[in-house]
Amino acid sequence: MTHPCRYEPDINPTYLDLAEHYGTVVIPARVRKARDKAKVESAVLIAERWILAALRNHRFFSLAEVNQAIAQKLKELNNRKFQKLDTTRKNSLKTSTGPP
């Protein structure tokens, strides 16, 4: 039997398998920190709407073609300047996490 840990929470094994399959990482939000969740959900919503809106009238004939178009739009989104800041998502990520 496992006990919940506040600082190192366990991730559902099925969810962990899904993340590993897609080559991504699952970082659980902090307990009782609802503000963290809203920021992440907002960022995902912006990316989803911006990319889907740009590609909605395109016709793709393979999954690779769709993935390539999404990757290109994501790169464009990350290089766009914020409305109220003189920086981009790509640059703000570099400065907030330190050197790559």
Side-chain angles (χ1 to χ4, degrees), residues 39-66:
K39 290 176 186 175
V40 171
E41 288 177 7
S42 176
V44 169
L45 183 64
I46 289 168
E48 181 181 359
R49 284 183 177 169
W50 197 83
I51 292 170
L52 289 178
L55 300 177
R56 72 177 172 262
N57 294 322
H58 288 50
R59 179 171 282 169
F60 300 101
F61 297 100
S62 70
L63 184 58
E65 193 178 344
V66 173

Side-chain angles (χ1 to χ4, degrees), residues 50-93:
W50 197 83
I51 292 170
L52 289 178
L55 300 177
R56 72 177 172 262
N57 294 322
H58 288 50
R59 179 171 282 169
F60 300 101
F61 297 100
S62 70
L63 184 58
E65 193 178 344
V66 173
N67 287 335
Q68 183 178 9
I70 291 171
Q72 178 61 37
K73 288 298 176 187
L74 182 60
K75 190 180 293 186
E76 290 174 21
L77 176 64
N78 287 334
N79 288 321
R80 285 180 64 206
K81 287 194 175 186
F82 288 111
Q83 288 181 355
K84 298 181 180 180
L85 298 174
D86 193 30
T87 188
T88 64
R89 284 176 176 79
K90 185 176 180 179
N91 290 339
S92 65
L93 181 62

Side-chain angles (χ1 to χ4, degrees), residues 9-53:
D10 288 334
I11 298 170
N12 178 312
T14 305
Y15 191 47
L16 184 59
D17 288 343
L18 177 76
E20 288 174 354
H21 174 77
Y22 285 105
T24 189
V25 177
V26 176
I27 303 173
R30 297 178 297 168
V31 175
R32 298 180 186 246
K33 299 291 182 184
R35 291 174 289 167
D36 295 352
K37 296 171 188 149
K39 290 176 186 175
V40 171
E41 288 177 7
S42 176
V44 169
L45 183 64
I46 289 168
E48 181 181 359
R49 284 183 177 169
W50 197 83
I51 292 170
L52 289 178

